[in-house]
Amino acid sequence: MTATPLPTASDAPHTGLTLIGQYDSPFVRRVAVALVQYGLPYRHLPWSVWADAERLARYNPLRRVPVLVLEDGSVLVESFAILDTLDERVPEARALLPRSGPLRREGLRVTAFAAGLADKAVSLLYEHVLRKPEARNAVWAERCGQQLRDTLALLEHDRQQRPTPFWFGADLAHADIAVACALRFTREAHPTLQPSIGPALQAHADRCEALEVFRAVVQPLTITLG
Ligand SMILES: N[C@@H](CCC(=O)N[C@@H](CS)C(=O)NCC(=O)O)C(=O)O
């Protein structure tokens, strides 16, 4: 998402999995945490959607990340689709989302709100970064702000009902990862929203961020478009 000059890796032919995108993206980070948690080795190409847009377009004409290139060269986009494919690579007992049943539906429900939160936080960031202050659309910015605050409230209420270490019990799941990645991005991109992050969500984020798997894939958000 940024044009920060990070080490650029070559996209020369590779036989394993390749993840494209920087970890300051809540979507890329979410996929990376799952890859690490699953113990699936991958090459990381930390390309910026701005500075590296044209080489990114060779893989994804939408010029969005994450992109996951599979061993056979096929290209997956959209974090939900990527993670669905990764989930199939591990035994059911290790999967971060049950294959079926009520817990799968609940996991998808919470994850979708977290992904929506991240989506709106990205939209609002672009509104701020890509427009001069006088050209910003106040109606859109206010709408995004309300959507973010209300979704944070919904997630806070949901988390407060659950006394377990993670959202659905003792073990980390996709919903936990999605929420924690969305919260970090929201807080970094929009510090004024910090008061809207309730205590249960804050505790949830702290617990996740303290895990080795989260500390292994992290990149502070720096907003420079190159
Ligand atoms: N729904 C997508 C969202 C991905 C997304 O919005 N990625 C941002 C980076 S955080 C991006 O690529 N932005 C560039 C653009 O939209 O042009 C997913 O889940 O993968």
Side-chain angles (χ1 to χ4, degrees):
M1 158 165 302
T2 74
T4 310
L6 292 167
T8 50
S10 150
D11 61 340
H14 182 67
T15 50
L17 294 173
T18 296
L19 175 64
I20 304 177
Q22 299 191 358
Y23 294 151
D24 62 357
S25 156
F27 302 100
V28 175
R29 190 174 184 223
R30 186 180 161 217
V31 169
V33 169
L35 280 163
V36 174
Q37 182 72 10
Y38 281 159
L40 296 170
Y42 66 100
R43 174 179 62 156
H44 182 214
L45 300 182
W47 291 352
S48 158
V49 295
W50 301 103
D52 301 307
E54 290 321 304
R55 57 179 170 171
L56 176 59
R58 298 207 304 270
Y59 295 89
N60 180 6
L62 293 165
R63 293 161 176 77
R64 298 210 301 181
V65 293
V67 171
L68 188 74
V69 187
L70 302 183
E71 293 88 341
D72 65 359
S74 50
V75 173
L76 295 180
V77 300
E78 280 293 324
S79 39
F80 270 102
I82 292 171
L83 290 167
D84 193 62
T85 301
L86 295 182
D87 290 346
E88 287 184 339
R89 295 185 173 214
V90 295
E92 175 151 24
R94 288 192 54 227
L96 292 162
L97 184 71
R99 307 258 201 257
S100 62
L103 269 181
R104 177 180 175 83
R105 190 204 58 213
E106 277 295 281
L108 289 172
R109 184 181 66 79
V110 172
T111 300
F113 281 116
L117 184 80
D119 253 328
K120 299 309 299 190
V122 170
S123 293
L124 186 57
L125 179 69
Y126 289 168
E127 180 66 22
H128 280 276
V129 172
L130 295 174
R131 290 189 204 270
K132 293 193 169 74
E134 62 276 15
R136 281 180 202 145
N137 185 322
V139 174
W140 176 249
E142 177 47 39
R143 181 182 169 85
C144 289
Q146 183 171 15
Q147 289 166 317
L148 286 163
R149 287 189 300 276
D150 290 353
T151 305
L152 285 168
L154 178 148
L155 288 169
E156 171 69 16
H157 178 73
D158 200 297
R159 191 66 179 99
Q160 279 180 5
Q161 314 308 307
R162 303 171 189 275
T164 47
F166 294 102
W167 217 282
F168 298 111
D171 299 319
L172 186 73
H174 279 318
D176 300 297
I177 302 169
V179 171
C181 292
L183 286 176
R184 185 181 185 107
F185 179 85
T186 302
R187 196 180 329 106
E188 288 187 343
H190 310 290
T192 56
L193 283 172
Q194 177 66 52
S196 302
I197 299 177
L201 282 185
Q202 190 59 60
H204 180 85
D206 292 345
R207 179 171 294 119
C208 290
E209 295 290 351
L211 297 174
E212 201 174 320
V213 64
F214 275 76
R215 288 189 281 119
V217 286
V218 67
Q219 178 187 334
L221 179 66
T222 50
I223 308 158
T224 51
L225 295 184

